[in-house]
Amino acid sequence: MNNKEKILNIANSNGGVVLTKQVTAAKIPRSTLTDLVNVGILFPVQRGIYVTENGYIDDFYLLQARYPKGVYSHETALYLQNFSDRAPVVPTMTFKYGTSTTRMKGEVKPVIVSKDLDLGKIEIMHNGSKITAYNIERTLVDLLKTRYNTDFEQFIPALKKYATSKNKDINKLFRYAQYFGVDIELQKYIGGLL
């Protein structure tokens, strides 16, 4: 298998999308990407991201590729996990303290945490692409934190849907709530639903 075929294999296994960092990790010269662009097999979408003619690029995947240290959270995570039908106008992502957010203005609504960035982080499939988000339990708990201005028109229906879900993990939800100090607040909302 030559380098061009290897790149196309990477793209085919990723919904028609290939990243420069994937090519580098596979120890394939980047000039091969340029060759595939020049003959019209790959098309550049943004810096470091290429797509085949039949490939599909999801906006959430593009943002994740642009800000790989971010984790989709809050109302955006509700939407991505089908706990809300309201697509975010500006997606919310959580980043570790110290991350520069100045170039994200308007593209992403950044939330900064000093610790526990990885707690509840999962990979989900969205429109054929893998993206990183918080699990539903962490998402619901994050929405109750006092420093976040929660949209309760999205939170309450999501909590009701969670309460009737077959995949709910109430123990995990309350562990997260206790860990983040919102267990009393959560009890107010979920008490009558269980």
Side-chain angles (χ1 to χ4, degrees):
M1 182 181 303
N2 66 34
N3 286 334
K4 289 180 182 178
E5 291 168 339
K6 288 178 186 176
I7 289 175
L8 292 175
N9 266 354
I10 293 169
N12 289 336
S13 67
N14 197 30
V17 179
V18 64
L19 307 178
T20 302
K21 67 181 179 182
Q22 292 171 316
V23 171
T24 303
K27 297 183 180 357
I28 302 169
R30 289 184 182 191
S31 60
T32 312
L33 280 171
T34 306
D35 294 342
L36 289 169
V37 169
N38 290 339
V39 296
I41 295 174
L42 287 181
F43 304 93
V45 177
Q46 69 184 38
R47 186 174 180 208
I49 302 174
Y50 300 84
V51 66
T52 61
E53 186 175 10
N54 297 324
Y56 173 74
I57 299 231
D58 179 62
D59 289 337
F60 292 103
Y61 180 79
L62 282 176
L63 277 176
Q64 185 88 72
R66 187 164 177 163
Y67 307 113
K69 293 180 181 176
V71 180
Y72 284 111
S73 59
H74 299 83
E75 289 89 358
T76 305
L78 287 181
Y79 173 75
L80 292 170
Q81 296 178 72
N82 298 317
F83 280 86
S84 172
D85 57 358
R86 196 183 315 169
V89 176
V90 178
T92 303
M93 292 181 93
T94 298
F95 296 88
K96 189 155 183 74
Y97 178 79
T99 304
S100 174
T101 60
T102 53
R103 65 186 179 119
M104 298 176 193
K105 300 288 188 225
E107 267 190 306
V108 173
K109 179 180 175 187
V111 174
I112 304 298
V113 295
S114 57
K115 60 179 184 167
D116 307 313
L117 181 70
D118 294 333
L119 184 66
K121 185 166 80 169
I122 59 172
E123 276 193 345
I124 59 174
M125 291 299 288
H126 187 262
N127 291 331
S129 300
K130 277 186 193 173
I131 55 176
T132 306
Y134 284 127
N135 63 27
I136 189 61
E137 289 83 10
R138 167 77 189 257
T139 301
L140 291 170
V141 167
D142 279 349
L143 287 165
L144 285 175
K145 292 179 182 175
T146 54
R147 63 189 174 125
Y148 186 77
N149 188 17
T150 299
D151 179 358
F152 282 94
E153 288 183 15
Q154 283 186 274
F155 175 76
I156 300 298
L159 190 61
K160 287 179 180 177
K161 186 173 181 177
Y162 177 78
T164 61
S165 169
K166 289 184 238 171
N167 299 322
K168 68 181 175 279
D169 187 339
I170 297 297
N171 290 331
K172 184 187 289 184
L173 179 69
F174 275 98
R175 263 196 326 271
Y176 285 169
Q178 192 171 24
Y179 182 82
F180 287 108
V182 295
D183 47 324
I184 294 169
E185 188 73 14
L186 178 65
Q187 191 64 45
K188 289 180 200 173
Y189 289 102
I190 205 162
L193 298 175
L194 299 176

